[in-house]
Amino acid sequence: MCACVVLVVGMVAAVNLAVPMLAASALHPSASALVWIVDTYVIVFACLVIPAGAAGDRFGRKGVLLAGLGLFAAGALLSAVAPDVVPLLAGRALTGVGAAAVLPNSLAVLLHAVPPEKRAATIATWASMTGIGGVLGNVGGGLVLTAGSWRWLFAAVVPLALVTAALVARTAPVSSRHDRALDPLGTVLLVGASVALLVGIVQGPEAGWGSAVVVTGFAGAAVLFAAWTFVELRAAHPLLDPRLFRIAGLRSACLGMTTIFFGMFALFYVNASFLQYAKGFGVLGTGLGIIPLTVPIIAGGRHAGPLARRIGLDTTVALAFAFVGGGLLGLSTSDTTTPYAGYAAWLVVTGIGVTLALPTLSGVIAGSLPPDRAGVGTGLQATTREFGSALGVAVIGTVMTAASHGPDFVTAFVAGADAGLRVVGIVVLVLGVLVVAESKVSQGVRTR
């Protein structure tokens, strides 16, 4: 199950390394097409992950997981052989469908397979894989791309997905199903609202935040989310009951998860270009350059749960946001003269925050829903991650474009990257205060 998580999350990060190759390829994609090559996967992934979790609850988590891995492999193969941009985008979309089926059902399978006393540690391990997956996507993508073609990145995914599917077929247990009817209208409205919102987010840096397509996307999302809420409140078996967000812990944990991935994937987006343009790293060195971020995740992931029990949930979450936001602000001071050791030290600081945040917030979300809704609960977690990832790339891209000034390309890029990381770091800190404050207020209300 951990391999499944690393595979689908790693693809989100790895494709950023291929952007320079894609831009110079025979496909001749426009700037807008490049953005969509990166983000089509994220958008489809984010929009379908809750329905895919519900499908796993209804039809069997192992079967939906295996189908997802098959679609993931097929989409990657189509992307690898695509003769032009349109088939490449179709392949990216199909891969996103597969990823949406894989991620929520991987945790749902685990929660069914382990006894109750091991669920907290299992959730912590699974959540850590989402952080490690992003970093291994950079490392593995850099290694594969040394072959010289972006096509190898997608081709390499195909055997990985098939081997993972074989392991799942052999080892994963078959979990019980429920006979709750699916909610097709609620699904269509939620997917439509999510697509409209993400189109607005993704197109913002390219078309302008006041452009017709962006304003229409945000307005459409508001209308569709309102319609979805109306329908779900009256449904006998809603896809995702809006009343769940009355649970303050669930609400704040979802905002916290979105914020952490907002910061982490903004960093991934900048890191890939910063190390190549500002530090002169090759594509492999760039992929390896993010490794310091994983050191705390690998070494400390299993200690996050015991620490939270010792010092309290709110204190753990506050420390997580302080480390992530502070690390991003520290990285924003980097330029062409900064030694890599200094840059790597700030990556470690950021990684400590990610290590504290992911298991803690995942545990809150998973613990807020009953076991028979495990697939939907995990889908909700995945949705917050993907929304945060898309928003982080969009915001930092906008800031970089506005702040890129200098006598030459490298100087302008570094100025834009520093400004972007500074803005993202401040946003992470501010939202972290809101997350902790809401938790404190809700505890006070319960106490009274």
Side-chain angles (χ1 to χ4, degrees):
M1 295 306 104
C2 288
C4 291
V5 175
V6 169
L7 181 65
V8 301
V9 175
M11 179 56 84
V12 181
V15 74
N16 288 314
L17 295 173
V19 168
M21 290 184 180
L22 283 162
S25 71
L27 300 183
H28 302 298
S30 64
S32 178
L34 276 174
V35 172
W36 281 106
I37 289 171
V38 173
D39 281 325
T40 295
Y41 176 81
V42 176
I43 288 175
V44 175
F45 192 171
C47 292
L48 294 182
V49 72
I50 291 179
D57 292 338
R58 176 67 177 83
F59 299 112
R61 292 148 188 169
K62 180 176 181 178
V64 174
L65 174 56
L66 287 170
L69 288 167
L71 290 173
F72 192 90
L77 180 60
L78 177 57
S79 299
V81 301
D84 55 52
V85 171
V86 173
L88 176 56
L89 292 175
R92 295 286 287 156
L94 185 58
T95 311
V97 174
V102 168
L103 192 59
N105 289 294
S106 62
L107 182 57
V109 165
L110 284 176
L111 293 179
H112 170 78
V114 302
E117 64 271 15
K118 292 187 177 182
R119 283 180 180 170
T122 298
I123 292 170
T125 301
W126 181 92
S128 297
M129 291 304 107
T130 61
I132 292 174
V135 178
L136 291 182
N138 277 280
V139 176
L143 182 63
V144 171
L145 288 170
T146 57
S149 172
W150 58 268
R151 295 184 186 276
W152 284 106
L153 179 64
F154 300 111
V157 169
V158 177
L160 290 176
L162 295 178
V163 168
T164 306
L167 292 173
V168 170
R170 179 179 179 181
T171 63
V174 176
S175 61
S176 59
R177 308 178 186 184
H178 64 67
D179 58 0
R180 183 184 291 111
L182 295 179
D183 178 18
L185 180 57
T187 298
V188 170
L189 289 172
L190 182 59
V191 170
S194 302
V195 169
L197 178 59
L198 284 172
V199 166
I201 291 171
V202 171
Q203 286 295 105
E206 178 74 17
W209 293 101
S211 65
V213 65
V214 173
V215 171
T216 301
F218 289 144
V223 171
L224 289 170
F225 273 124
W228 169 77
T229 302
F230 179 84
V231 169
E232 295 294 85
L233 288 175
R234 287 157 179 78
H237 302 291
L239 173 70
L240 177 65
D241 192 340
R243 285 174 286 251
L244 289 172
F245 292 101
R246 293 175 181 172
I247 304 171
L250 177 65
R251 192 170 59 242
S252 62
C254 287
L255 175 60
M257 192 71 78
T258 300
T259 304
I260 292 297
F261 274 76
F262 167 82
M264 189 162 63
F265 276 81
L267 170 60
F268 288 158
Y269 184 79
V270 169
N271 175 78
S273 299
F274 179 84
L275 292 181
Q276 291 185 65
Y277 296 143
K279 306 303 294 179
F281 283 28
V283 66
L284 177 58
T286 298
L288 296 173
I290 198 71
I291 282 181
L293 183 72
T294 65
V295 173
I297 299 174
I298 294 172
R302 62 191 178 93
H303 300 297
L307 178 65
R309 289 190 289 273
R310 172 180 288 186
I311 67 176
L313 178 67
D314 290 338
T315 302
T316 304
V317 173
L319 286 172
F321 281 106
F323 275 107
V324 174
L328 292 170
L329 290 176
L331 287 164
S332 74
T333 64
S334 302
D335 58 26
T336 55
T337 64
T338 302
Y340 173 73
Y343 185 84
W346 287 117
L347 289 177
V348 172
V349 171
T350 306
I352 292 172
V354 173
T355 303
L356 294 173
L358 296 187
T360 306
L361 296 173
S362 291
V364 172
I365 296 174
S368 300
L369 296 171
D372 69 333
R373 303 295 279 161
V376 171
T378 314
L380 181 59
Q381 293 196 47
T383 298
T384 61
R385 287 171 163 85
E386 300 313 314
F387 269 101
S389 301
L391 187 59
V393 171
V395 169
I396 202 167
T398 299
V399 176
M400 288 176 64
T401 300
S404 295
H405 302 293
D408 57 67
F409 172 77
V410 173
T411 303
F413 174 83
V414 170
D418 287 349
L421 288 170
R422 191 156 47 247
V423 168
V424 170
I426 291 171
V427 170
V428 167
L429 291 173
V430 171
L431 291 178
V433 170
L434 292 177
V435 170
V436 176
E438 180 179 33
S439 178
K440 291 287 189 183
V441 169
S442 66
Q443 289 176 19
V445 171
R446 289 197 299 271
T447 301
R448 292 196 297 271

PDB file of all heavy atoms in Angstrom, residues 45-81:
ATOM      1  N   PHE A  45      -7.207  13.884 -10.693  1.00  0.00           N
ATOM      2  CA  PHE A  45      -6.916  13.199  -9.431  1.00  0.00           C
ATOM      3  C   PHE A  45      -7.770  13.794  -8.302  1.00  0.00           C
ATOM      4  O   PHE A  45      -8.494  13.084  -7.586  1.00  0.00           O
ATOM      5  CB  PHE A  45      -5.422  13.376  -9.153  1.00  0.00           C
ATOM      6  CG  PHE A  45      -4.852  12.515  -8.057  1.00  0.00           C
ATOM      7  CD1 PHE A  45      -3.480  12.473  -7.872  1.00  0.00           C
ATOM      8  CD2 PHE A  45      -5.653  11.767  -7.213  1.00  0.00           C
ATOM      9  CE1 PHE A  45      -2.915  11.692  -6.874  1.00  0.00           C
ATOM     10  CE2 PHE A  45      -5.098  10.986  -6.201  1.00  0.00           C
ATOM     11  CZ  PHE A  45      -3.733  10.961  -6.038  1.00  0.00           C
ATOM     12  N   ALA A  46      -7.705  15.108  -8.149  1.00  0.00           N
ATOM     13  CA  ALA A  46      -8.404  15.775  -7.051  1.00  0.00           C
ATOM     14  C   ALA A  46      -9.920  15.655  -7.179  1.00  0.00           C
ATOM     15  O   ALA A  46     -10.623  15.468  -6.179  1.00  0.00           O
ATOM     16  CB  ALA A  46      -7.994  17.247  -6.993  1.00  0.00           C
ATOM     17  N   CYS A  47     -10.419  15.755  -8.395  1.00  0.00           N
ATOM     18  CA  CYS A  47     -11.874  15.789  -8.591  1.00  0.00           C
ATOM     19  C   CYS A  47     -12.537  14.429  -8.416  1.00  0.00           C
ATOM     20  O   CYS A  47     -13.709  14.351  -8.047  1.00  0.00           O
ATOM     21  CB  CYS A  47     -12.202  16.340  -9.978  1.00  0.00           C
ATOM     22  SG  CYS A  47     -11.800  18.084 -10.168  1.00  0.00           S
ATOM     23  N   LEU A  48     -11.819  13.361  -8.676  1.00  0.00           N
ATOM     24  CA  LEU A  48     -12.432  12.032  -8.647  1.00  0.00           C
ATOM     25  C   LEU A  48     -12.089  11.223  -7.411  1.00  0.00           C
ATOM     26  O   LEU A  48     -12.603  10.125  -7.231  1.00  0.00           O
ATOM     27  CB  LEU A  48     -12.015  11.235  -9.889  1.00  0.00           C
ATOM     28  CG  LEU A  48     -12.529  11.762 -11.227  1.00  0.00           C
ATOM     29  CD1 LEU A  48     -12.071  10.854 -12.361  1.00  0.00           C
ATOM     30  CD2 LEU A  48     -14.045  11.873 -11.230  1.00  0.00           C
ATOM     31  N   VAL A  49     -11.256  11.741  -6.541  1.00  0.00           N
ATOM     32  CA  VAL A  49     -10.739  10.912  -5.466  1.00  0.00           C
ATOM     33  C   VAL A  49     -11.824  10.569  -4.433  1.00  0.00           C
ATOM     34  O   VAL A  49     -11.865   9.441  -3.914  1.00  0.00           O
ATOM     35  CB  VAL A  49      -9.506  11.591  -4.826  1.00  0.00           C
ATOM     36  CG1 VAL A  49      -9.882  12.792  -3.988  1.00  0.00           C
ATOM     37  CG2 VAL A  49      -8.699  10.588  -4.018  1.00  0.00           C
ATOM     38  N   ILE A  50     -12.737  11.483  -4.137  1.00  0.00           N
ATOM     39  CA  ILE A  50     -13.818  11.149  -3.205  1.00  0.00           C
ATOM     40  C   ILE A  50     -14.804  10.154  -3.832  1.00  0.00           C
ATOM     41  O   ILE A  50     -15.155   9.142  -3.198  1.00  0.00           O
ATOM     42  CB  ILE A  50     -14.527  12.426  -2.711  1.00  0.00           C
ATOM     43  CG1 ILE A  50     -13.579  13.222  -1.796  1.00  0.00           C
ATOM     44  CG2 ILE A  50     -15.805  12.078  -1.953  1.00  0.00           C
ATOM     45  CD1 ILE A  50     -14.173  14.515  -1.283  1.00  0.00           C
ATOM     46  N   PRO A  51     -15.281  10.381  -5.070  1.00  0.00           N
ATOM     47  CA  PRO A  51     -16.122   9.343  -5.694  1.00  0.00           C
ATOM     48  C   PRO A  51     -15.429   7.994  -5.798  1.00  0.00           C
ATOM     49  O   PRO A  51     -16.075   6.948  -5.628  1.00  0.00           O
ATOM     50  CB  PRO A  51     -16.420   9.926  -7.083  1.00  0.00           C
ATOM     51  CG  PRO A  51     -16.319  11.403  -6.905  1.00  0.00           C
ATOM     52  CD  PRO A  51     -15.226  11.597  -5.900  1.00  0.00           C
ATOM     53  N   ALA A  52     -14.123   7.993  -6.059  1.00  0.00           N
ATOM     54  CA  ALA A  52     -13.408   6.713  -6.150  1.00  0.00           C
ATOM     55  C   ALA A  52     -13.341   6.021  -4.802  1.00  0.00           C
ATOM     56  O   ALA A  52     -13.427   4.788  -4.716  1.00  0.00           O
ATOM     57  CB  ALA A  52     -11.997   6.941  -6.695  1.00  0.00           C
ATOM     58  N   GLY A  53     -13.199   6.795  -3.734  1.00  0.00           N
ATOM     59  CA  GLY A  53     -13.232   6.202  -2.405  1.00  0.00           C
ATOM     60  C   GLY A  53     -14.590   5.607  -2.098  1.00  0.00           C
ATOM     61  O   GLY A  53     -14.700   4.512  -1.524  1.00  0.00           O
ATOM     62  N   ALA A  54     -15.658   6.312  -2.499  1.00  0.00           N
ATOM     63  CA  ALA A  54     -17.012   5.787  -2.297  1.00  0.00           C
ATOM     64  C   ALA A  54     -17.230   4.520  -3.121  1.00  0.00           C
ATOM     65  O   ALA A  54     -17.891   3.571  -2.657  1.00  0.00           O
ATOM     66  CB  ALA A  54     -18.034   6.854  -2.678  1.00  0.00           C
ATOM     67  N   ALA A  55     -16.693   4.484  -4.339  1.00  0.00           N
ATOM     68  CA  ALA A  55     -16.818   3.287  -5.172  1.00  0.00           C
ATOM     69  C   ALA A  55     -16.120   2.094  -4.518  1.00  0.00           C
ATOM     70  O   ALA A  55     -16.614   0.956  -4.572  1.00  0.00           O
ATOM     71  CB  ALA A  55     -16.239   3.549  -6.560  1.00  0.00           C
ATOM     72  N   GLY A  56     -14.971   2.351  -3.890  1.00  0.00           N
ATOM     73  CA  GLY A  56     -14.290   1.269  -3.187  1.00  0.00           C
ATOM     74  C   GLY A  56     -15.105   0.743  -2.021  1.00  0.00           C
ATOM     75  O   GLY A  56     -15.181  -0.470  -1.795  1.00  0.00           O
ATOM     76  N   ASP A  57     -15.735   1.653  -1.263  1.00  0.00           N
ATOM     77  CA  ASP A  57     -16.596   1.217  -0.167  1.00  0.00           C
ATOM     78  C   ASP A  57     -17.752   0.359  -0.678  1.00  0.00           C
ATOM     79  O   ASP A  57     -18.184  -0.587  -0.013  1.00  0.00           O
ATOM     80  CB  ASP A  57     -17.157   2.439   0.570  1.00  0.00           C
ATOM     81  CG  ASP A  57     -16.090   3.219   1.334  1.00  0.00           C
ATOM     82  OD1 ASP A  57     -15.034   2.627   1.643  1.00  0.00           O
ATOM     83  OD2 ASP A  57     -16.315   4.398   1.623  1.00  0.00           O
ATOM     84  N   ARG A  58     -18.261   0.712  -1.852  1.00  0.00           N
ATOM     85  CA  ARG A  58     -19.454   0.047  -2.389  1.00  0.00           C
ATOM     86  C   ARG A  58     -19.120  -1.254  -3.118  1.00  0.00           C
ATOM     87  O   ARG A  58     -19.792  -2.275  -2.938  1.00  0.00           O
ATOM     88  CB  ARG A  58     -20.183   1.004  -3.336  1.00  0.00           C
ATOM     89  CG  ARG A  58     -21.386   0.407  -4.041  1.00  0.00           C
ATOM     90  CD  ARG A  58     -22.511   0.100  -3.055  1.00  0.00           C
ATOM     91  NE  ARG A  58     -23.697  -0.418  -3.726  1.00  0.00           N
ATOM     92  CZ  ARG A  58     -23.881  -1.676  -4.073  1.00  0.00           C
ATOM     93  NH1 ARG A  58     -22.926  -2.576  -3.835  1.00  0.00           N
ATOM     94  NH2 ARG A  58     -24.995  -2.061  -4.671  1.00  0.00           N
ATOM     95  N   PHE A  59     -18.084  -1.249  -3.953  1.00  0.00           N
ATOM     96  CA  PHE A  59     -17.815  -2.393  -4.836  1.00  0.00           C
ATOM     97  C   PHE A  59     -16.628  -3.239  -4.405  1.00  0.00           C
ATOM     98  O   PHE A  59     -16.372  -4.281  -5.012  1.00  0.00           O
ATOM     99  CB  PHE A  59     -17.587  -1.903  -6.268  1.00  0.00           C
ATOM    100  CG  PHE A  59     -18.763  -1.178  -6.849  1.00  0.00           C
ATOM    101  CD1 PHE A  59     -18.702   0.182  -7.122  1.00  0.00           C
ATOM    102  CD2 PHE A  59     -19.952  -1.838  -7.097  1.00  0.00           C
ATOM    103  CE1 PHE A  59     -19.789   0.861  -7.656  1.00  0.00           C
ATOM    104  CE2 PHE A  59     -21.048  -1.180  -7.629  1.00  0.00           C
ATOM    105  CZ  PHE A  59     -20.972   0.179  -7.904  1.00  0.00           C
ATOM    106  N   GLY A  60     -15.895  -2.805  -3.413  1.00  0.00           N
ATOM    107  CA  GLY A  60     -14.735  -3.562  -2.966  1.00  0.00           C
ATOM    108  C   GLY A  60     -13.457  -2.763  -3.160  1.00  0.00           C
ATOM    109  O   GLY A  60     -13.136  -2.362  -4.283  1.00  0.00           O
ATOM    110  N   ARG A  61     -12.749  -2.525  -2.071  1.00  0.00           N
ATOM    111  CA  ARG A  61     -11.584  -1.637  -2.132  1.00  0.00           C
ATOM    112  C   ARG A  61     -10.427  -2.240  -2.921  1.00  0.00           C
ATOM    113  O   ARG A  61      -9.745  -1.548  -3.666  1.00  0.00           O
ATOM    114  CB  ARG A  61     -11.162  -1.287  -0.708  1.00  0.00           C
ATOM    115  CG  ARG A  61     -12.190  -0.411  -0.008  1.00  0.00           C
ATOM    116  CD  ARG A  61     -12.270  -0.635   1.478  1.00  0.00           C
ATOM    117  NE  ARG A  61     -13.406   0.092   2.046  1.00  0.00           N
ATOM    118  CZ  ARG A  61     -13.842  -0.086   3.286  1.00  0.00           C
ATOM    119  NH1 ARG A  61     -13.258  -0.975   4.068  1.00  0.00           N
ATOM    120  NH2 ARG A  61     -14.869   0.601   3.729  1.00  0.00           N
ATOM    121  N   LYS A  62     -10.205  -3.527  -2.754  1.00  0.00           N
ATOM    122  CA  LYS A  62      -9.102  -4.161  -3.477  1.00  0.00           C
ATOM    123  C   LYS A  62      -9.356  -4.131  -4.978  1.00  0.00           C
ATOM    124  O   LYS A  62      -8.444  -3.819  -5.768  1.00  0.00           O
ATOM    125  CB  LYS A  62      -8.925  -5.600  -3.004  1.00  0.00           C
ATOM    126  CG  LYS A  62      -7.788  -6.331  -3.699  1.00  0.00           C
ATOM    127  CD  LYS A  62      -7.589  -7.733  -3.109  1.00  0.00           C
ATOM    128  CE  LYS A  62      -6.430  -8.453  -3.788  1.00  0.00           C
ATOM    129  NZ  LYS A  62      -6.178  -9.798  -3.192  1.00  0.00           N
ATOM    130  N   GLY A  63     -10.575  -4.434  -5.405  1.00  0.00           N
ATOM    131  CA  GLY A  63     -10.884  -4.438  -6.839  1.00  0.00           C
ATOM    132  C   GLY A  63     -10.744  -3.063  -7.456  1.00  0.00           C
ATOM    133  O   GLY A  63     -10.183  -2.913  -8.554  1.00  0.00           O
ATOM    134  N   VAL A  64     -11.249  -2.033  -6.779  1.00  0.00           N
ATOM    135  CA  VAL A  64     -11.132  -0.669  -7.314  1.00  0.00           C
ATOM    136  C   VAL A  64      -9.671  -0.237  -7.332  1.00  0.00           C
ATOM    137  O   VAL A  64      -9.214   0.429  -8.268  1.00  0.00           O
ATOM    138  CB  VAL A  64     -12.002   0.304  -6.492  1.00  0.00           C
ATOM    139  CG1 VAL A  64     -11.774   1.747  -6.944  1.00  0.00           C
ATOM    140  CG2 VAL A  64     -13.478  -0.061  -6.626  1.00  0.00           C
ATOM    141  N   LEU A  65      -8.911  -0.620  -6.316  1.00  0.00           N
ATOM    142  CA  LEU A  65      -7.481  -0.298  -6.278  1.00  0.00           C
ATOM    143  C   LEU A  65      -6.743  -0.930  -7.459  1.00  0.00           C
ATOM    144  O   LEU A  65      -5.933  -0.271  -8.131  1.00  0.00           O
ATOM    145  CB  LEU A  65      -6.900  -0.785  -4.953  1.00  0.00           C
ATOM    146  CG  LEU A  65      -5.390  -0.690  -4.742  1.00  0.00           C
ATOM    147  CD1 LEU A  65      -4.910   0.737  -4.931  1.00  0.00           C
ATOM    148  CD2 LEU A  65      -5.020  -1.183  -3.353  1.00  0.00           C
ATOM    149  N   LEU A  66      -7.019  -2.197  -7.735  1.00  0.00           N
ATOM    150  CA  LEU A  66      -6.364  -2.861  -8.864  1.00  0.00           C
ATOM    151  C   LEU A  66      -6.769  -2.230 -10.201  1.00  0.00           C
ATOM    152  O   LEU A  66      -5.929  -2.048 -11.094  1.00  0.00           O
ATOM    153  CB  LEU A  66      -6.720  -4.350  -8.864  1.00  0.00           C
ATOM    154  CG  LEU A  66      -6.047  -5.193  -7.784  1.00  0.00           C
ATOM    155  CD1 LEU A  66      -6.655  -6.589  -7.721  1.00  0.00           C
ATOM    156  CD2 LEU A  66      -4.541  -5.276  -8.048  1.00  0.00           C
ATOM    157  N   ALA A  67      -8.056  -1.891 -10.331  1.00  0.00           N
ATOM    158  CA  ALA A  67      -8.487  -1.212 -11.555  1.00  0.00           C
ATOM    159  C   ALA A  67      -7.770   0.119 -11.718  1.00  0.00           C
ATOM    160  O   ALA A  67      -7.377   0.511 -12.827  1.00  0.00           O
ATOM    161  CB  ALA A  67      -9.999  -1.002 -11.525  1.00  0.00           C
ATOM    162  N   GLY A  68      -7.586   0.835 -10.609  1.00  0.00           N
ATOM    163  CA  GLY A  68      -6.880   2.105 -10.660  1.00  0.00           C
ATOM    164  C   GLY A  68      -5.439   1.954 -11.121  1.00  0.00           C
ATOM    165  O   GLY A  68      -4.940   2.756 -11.922  1.00  0.00           O
ATOM    166  N   LEU A  69      -4.753   0.950 -10.628  1.00  0.00           N
ATOM    167  CA  LEU A  69      -3.368   0.730 -11.059  1.00  0.00           C
ATOM    168  C   LEU A  69      -3.300   0.390 -12.543  1.00  0.00           C
ATOM    169  O   LEU A  69      -2.368   0.805 -13.248  1.00  0.00           O
ATOM    170  CB  LEU A  69      -2.737  -0.383 -10.224  1.00  0.00           C
ATOM    171  CG  LEU A  69      -2.423  -0.008  -8.764  1.00  0.00           C
ATOM    172  CD1 LEU A  69      -2.095  -1.258  -7.953  1.00  0.00           C
ATOM    173  CD2 LEU A  69      -1.267   0.987  -8.709  1.00  0.00           C
ATOM    174  N   GLY A  70      -4.288  -0.374 -13.054  1.00  0.00           N
ATOM    175  CA  GLY A  70      -4.332  -0.668 -14.481  1.00  0.00           C
ATOM    176  C   GLY A  70      -4.528   0.591 -15.321  1.00  0.00           C
ATOM    177  O   GLY A  70      -3.870   0.783 -16.345  1.00  0.00           O
ATOM    178  N   LEU A  71      -5.454   1.445 -14.901  1.00  0.00           N
ATOM    179  CA  LEU A  71      -5.684   2.709 -15.612  1.00  0.00           C
ATOM    180  C   LEU A  71      -4.463   3.611 -15.525  1.00  0.00           C
ATOM    181  O   LEU A  71      -4.122   4.322 -16.489  1.00  0.00           O
ATOM    182  CB  LEU A  71      -6.906   3.416 -15.029  1.00  0.00           C
ATOM    183  CG  LEU A  71      -8.262   2.755 -15.307  1.00  0.00           C
ATOM    184  CD1 LEU A  71      -9.357   3.459 -14.518  1.00  0.00           C
ATOM    185  CD2 LEU A  71      -8.572   2.784 -16.795  1.00  0.00           C
ATOM    186  N   PHE A  72      -3.807   3.600 -14.380  1.00  0.00           N
ATOM    187  CA  PHE A  72      -2.591   4.405 -14.207  1.00  0.00           C
ATOM    188  C   PHE A  72      -1.525   3.984 -15.213  1.00  0.00           C
ATOM    189  O   PHE A  72      -0.887   4.833 -15.866  1.00  0.00           O
ATOM    190  CB  PHE A  72      -2.091   4.227 -12.768  1.00  0.00           C
ATOM    191  CG  PHE A  72      -1.026   5.192 -12.348  1.00  0.00           C
ATOM    192  CD1 PHE A  72      -1.359   6.405 -11.757  1.00  0.00           C
ATOM    193  CD2 PHE A  72       0.320   4.887 -12.522  1.00  0.00           C
ATOM    194  CE1 PHE A  72      -0.372   7.300 -11.361  1.00  0.00           C
ATOM    195  CE2 PHE A  72       1.310   5.760 -12.127  1.00  0.00           C
ATOM    196  CZ  PHE A  72       0.966   6.974 -11.546  1.00  0.00           C
ATOM    197  N   ALA A  73      -1.325   2.688 -15.351  1.00  0.00           N
ATOM    198  CA  ALA A  73      -0.338   2.179 -16.308  1.00  0.00           C
ATOM    199  C   ALA A  73      -0.738   2.517 -17.742  1.00  0.00           C
ATOM    200  O   ALA A  73       0.107   2.932 -18.562  1.00  0.00           O
ATOM    201  CB  ALA A  73      -0.185   0.664 -16.145  1.00  0.00           C
ATOM    202  N   ALA A  74      -2.032   2.364 -18.076  1.00  0.00           N
ATOM    203  CA  ALA A  74      -2.485   2.657 -19.438  1.00  0.00           C
ATOM    204  C   ALA A  74      -2.311   4.132 -19.769  1.00  0.00           C
ATOM    205  O   ALA A  74      -1.883   4.494 -20.879  1.00  0.00           O
ATOM    206  CB  ALA A  74      -3.955   2.255 -19.590  1.00  0.00           C
ATOM    207  N   GLY A  75      -2.634   5.006 -18.825  1.00  0.00           N
ATOM    208  CA  GLY A  75      -2.470   6.447 -19.058  1.00  0.00           C
ATOM    209  C   GLY A  75      -1.015   6.836 -19.237  1.00  0.00           C
ATOM    210  O   GLY A  75      -0.677   7.670 -20.086  1.00  0.00           O
ATOM    211  N   ALA A  76      -0.134   6.244 -18.440  1.00  0.00           N
ATOM    212  CA  ALA A  76       1.289   6.535 -18.574  1.00  0.00           C
ATOM    213  C   ALA A  76       1.826   6.074 -19.931  1.00  0.00           C
ATOM    214  O   ALA A  76       2.635   6.758 -20.565  1.00  0.00           O
ATOM    215  CB  ALA A  76       2.065   5.873 -17.438  1.00  0.00           C
ATOM    216  N   LEU A  77       1.356   4.900 -20.388  1.00  0.00           N
ATOM    217  CA  LEU A  77       1.794   4.394 -21.692  1.00  0.00           C
ATOM    218  C   LEU A  77       1.325   5.323 -22.807  1.00  0.00           C
ATOM    219  O   LEU A  77       2.091   5.636 -23.733  1.00  0.00           O
ATOM    220  CB  LEU A  77       1.248   2.988 -21.898  1.00  0.00           C
ATOM    221  CG  LEU A  77       1.620   2.304 -23.219  1.00  0.00           C
ATOM    222  CD1 LEU A  77       3.134   2.166 -23.357  1.00  0.00           C
ATOM    223  CD2 LEU A  77       0.950   0.936 -23.321  1.00  0.00           C
ATOM    224  N   LEU A  78       0.080   5.776 -22.754  1.00  0.00           N
ATOM    225  CA  LEU A  78      -0.421   6.709 -23.761  1.00  0.00           C
ATOM    226  C   LEU A  78       0.380   8.006 -23.753  1.00  0.00           C
ATOM    227  O   LEU A  78       0.714   8.547 -24.819  1.00  0.00           O
ATOM    228  CB  LEU A  78      -1.901   7.001 -23.501  1.00  0.00           C
ATOM    229  CG  LEU A  78      -2.586   8.022 -24.420  1.00  0.00           C
ATOM    230  CD1 LEU A  78      -2.475   7.602 -25.881  1.00  0.00           C
ATOM    231  CD2 LEU A  78      -4.046   8.200 -24.024  1.00  0.00           C
ATOM    232  N   SER A  79       0.731   8.495 -22.567  1.00  0.00           N
ATOM    233  CA  SER A  79       1.536   9.710 -22.480  1.00  0.00           C
ATOM    234  C   SER A  79       2.916   9.505 -23.096  1.00  0.00           C
ATOM    235  O   SER A  79       3.442  10.384 -23.783  1.00  0.00           O
ATOM    236  CB  SER A  79       1.678  10.131 -21.011  1.00  0.00           C
ATOM    237  OG  SER A  79       0.431  10.417 -20.425  1.00  0.00           O
ATOM    238  N   ALA A  80       3.507   8.340 -22.865  1.00  0.00           N
ATOM    239  CA  ALA A  80       4.864   8.071 -23.353  1.00  0.00           C
ATOM    240  C   ALA A  80       4.941   8.042 -24.865  1.00  0.00           C
ATOM    241  O   ALA A  80       5.956   8.431 -25.454  1.00  0.00           O
ATOM    242  CB  ALA A  80       5.368   6.752 -22.776  1.00  0.00           C
ATOM    243  N   VAL A  81       3.886   7.576 -25.545  1.00  0.00           N
ATOM    244  CA  VAL A  81       3.926   7.429 -27.006  1.00  0.00           C
ATOM    245  C   VAL A  81       3.155   8.533 -27.722  1.00  0.00           C
ATOM    246  O   VAL A  81       3.028   8.491 -28.947  1.00  0.00           O
ATOM    247  CB  VAL A  81       3.365   6.055 -27.437  1.00  0.00           C
ATOM    248  CG1 VAL A  81       4.184   4.930 -26.799  1.00  0.00           C
ATOM    249  CG2 VAL A  81       1.889   5.919 -27.069  1.00  0.00           C
TER     250      VAL A  81
END
